Amino acid sequence: MATRLGLGLPQMRQYDLGKDVPDVARAAEGMGYESLWVFERALFPEPAVQGLYGIEGLPWPDEYRNVADPLVTLTLAAAATERAELGSSVLVAPLHVPFQLAKAWPSWTRRGGRAWSRFRTARSHDEYAAASVRPFAERGQALDELIEVCRAVWGPDPVVYDGHLTKIASAVVGPKPARPIPVLLAAGSGKARRRLVDHADGWLPNGLGAEVVAGQWRRLRELAEERGRTEPIRTVLRVNARYRPSAREDADRRPFHGSVDQIVEDLVAHAEIGLDEILIDLQGSARDAEELKDLAAQVYEKARAAGV
């Protein structure tokens, strides 16, 4: 069975949100992409005293200076497509009021499609200071409550929930999802892996190299067995691809950085791990929507021809 392929929607500053998002979404669906995805970057600290993802010395990519709101982007894509699933990769959970996000999410599924929700806590102190509903130190609790509120709101009425931020005495809350909405987590630490195994539907890692991802997937399955999980863990690999037509063919090349053929070669290696889906984000490599559509078509066609 072929690996499902998804595409990242255009959110960066070189794109015209109102025109390019529907255009790329329709084109990607026509090419055969089975899902469309957004990510979240609330702000760009200037100067950035903290490295990206909290990693010391890791610079913030310049394209993060202007990233469109993920929920607005998904709304535009939903209105322009018929079949493609819609997903977040990733929403920073503590930047959102749980009830409002939980109520908004099912609206994209009303035409019979499905949505995927992928949450994380993230590590940007600047984003937390500007927008978080809870302090940085409570980011794990904020994520837990968001997942619980989503489960409650998406479930049967009457909805009842008593949490730190959210208190629903007893209420009818609609619309309900047309189908169950899977909750995916990144699970980079031991505690995060336990949260995923115990409370989430699936795993959404980054494409850091086939051996790395395979090792992470093996440890996650071992933990699931240890904790008695019987439900399958859905898997979607996020690939931040960078098209570089003149990239060298050597061992130092980063995964998914290079020509279309090199990107597809890495897709083949990661598909062999046996994950359910691969999300390919090419938007940072393209100058405009036309180039993004061209790259997306080339990658899709060559990936399918290579057996992905």
Side-chain angles (χ1 to χ4, degrees):
M1 181 176 177
T3 304
R4 289 166 47 92
L5 293 179
L7 183 70
L9 290 166
Q11 294 175 261
M12 297 175 181
R13 62 184 173 187
Q14 67 266 45
Y15 302 106
D16 181 328
L17 191 68
K19 177 175 68 71
D20 291 343
V21 171
D23 181 32
V24 172
R26 280 190 294 266
E29 187 176 64
M31 293 171 199
Y33 283 98
E34 292 157 293
S35 57
L36 303 167
W37 298 79
V38 294
F39 76 104
E40 183 166 42
R41 195 82 271 164
L43 51 75
F44 187 98
E46 186 81 288
V49 296
Q50 180 190 25
L52 183 66
Y53 311 132
I55 301 173
E56 184 177 357
L58 183 63
W60 286 62
D62 190 64
E63 60 247 34
Y64 284 1
R65 289 180 180 274
N66 191 330
V67 177
D69 181 88
L71 304 184
V72 173
T73 305
L74 279 181
T75 301
L76 291 166
T81 53
E82 294 288 340
R83 301 179 306 279
E85 296 183 345
L86 304 166
S88 65
S89 170
V90 59
L91 289 187
V92 183
L95 306 187
H96 297 270
V97 176
F99 179 80
Q100 292 178 348
L101 182 64
K103 180 170 171 55
W105 207 258
S107 299
W108 300 305
T109 72
R110 299 312 297 170
R111 298 169 71 181
R114 287 184 292 168
W116 301 68
S117 52
R118 191 259 200 173
F119 305 131
R120 68 177 299 172
T121 57
R123 296 182 179 274
S124 170
H125 291 274
D126 299 275
E127 288 183 325
Y128 277 85
S132 180
V133 296
R134 294 181 72 170
F136 183 81
E138 298 178 11
R139 60 195 183 279
Q141 297 96 311
L143 176 57
D144 288 338
E145 180 162 336
L146 178 61
I147 294 173
E148 291 173 358
V149 172
C150 286
R151 301 287 196 204
V153 169
W154 298 341
D157 293 322
V159 176
V160 177
Y161 184 82
D162 185 11
H164 179 82
L165 286 171
T166 310
K167 297 184 184 297
I168 310 170
S170 180
V172 174
V173 184
K176 301 295 185 184
R179 301 182 188 180
I181 300 176
V183 173
L184 310 178
L185 299 177
S189 67
K191 186 174 182 179
R193 285 192 289 271
R194 290 191 295 274
R195 177 184 286 117
L196 188 158
V197 167
D198 293 343
H199 302 295
D201 299 295
W203 180 48
L204 205 160
N206 287 320
L208 302 175
E211 291 186 7
V212 173
V213 175
Q216 293 173 337
W217 180 219
R218 182 180 62 254
R219 289 191 294 273
L220 190 59
R221 285 179 292 170
E222 290 171 351
L223 179 63
E225 184 176 358
E226 290 172 10
R227 298 182 75 83
R229 176 171 176 144
T230 57
E231 300 86 358
I233 297 175
R234 306 184 187 196
T235 52
V236 180
L237 177 74
R238 178 180 177 87
V239 169
N240 293 315
R242 291 294 180 269
Y243 172 63
R244 300 288 185 268
S246 59
R248 297 180 302 171
E249 294 273 4
D250 57 34
D252 295 330
R253 183 179 64 85
R254 293 176 59 187
F256 303 104
H257 284 55
S259 66
V260 169
D261 287 340
Q262 289 171 321
I263 291 171
V264 170
E265 180 182 321
D266 292 332
L267 286 173
V268 171
H270 285 74
E272 290 174 351
I273 299 170
L275 305 181
D276 299 318
E277 183 163 353
I278 300 177
L279 149 65
I280 309 164
D281 196 324
L282 292 157
Q283 64 176 306
S285 302
R287 291 169 293 185
D288 53 32
E290 291 303 313
E291 187 169 22
L292 175 58
K293 289 187 293 182
D294 181 61
L295 283 173
Q298 291 185 57
V299 169
Y300 185 88
E301 292 169 4
K302 292 193 174 186
R304 289 307 190 206
V308 176

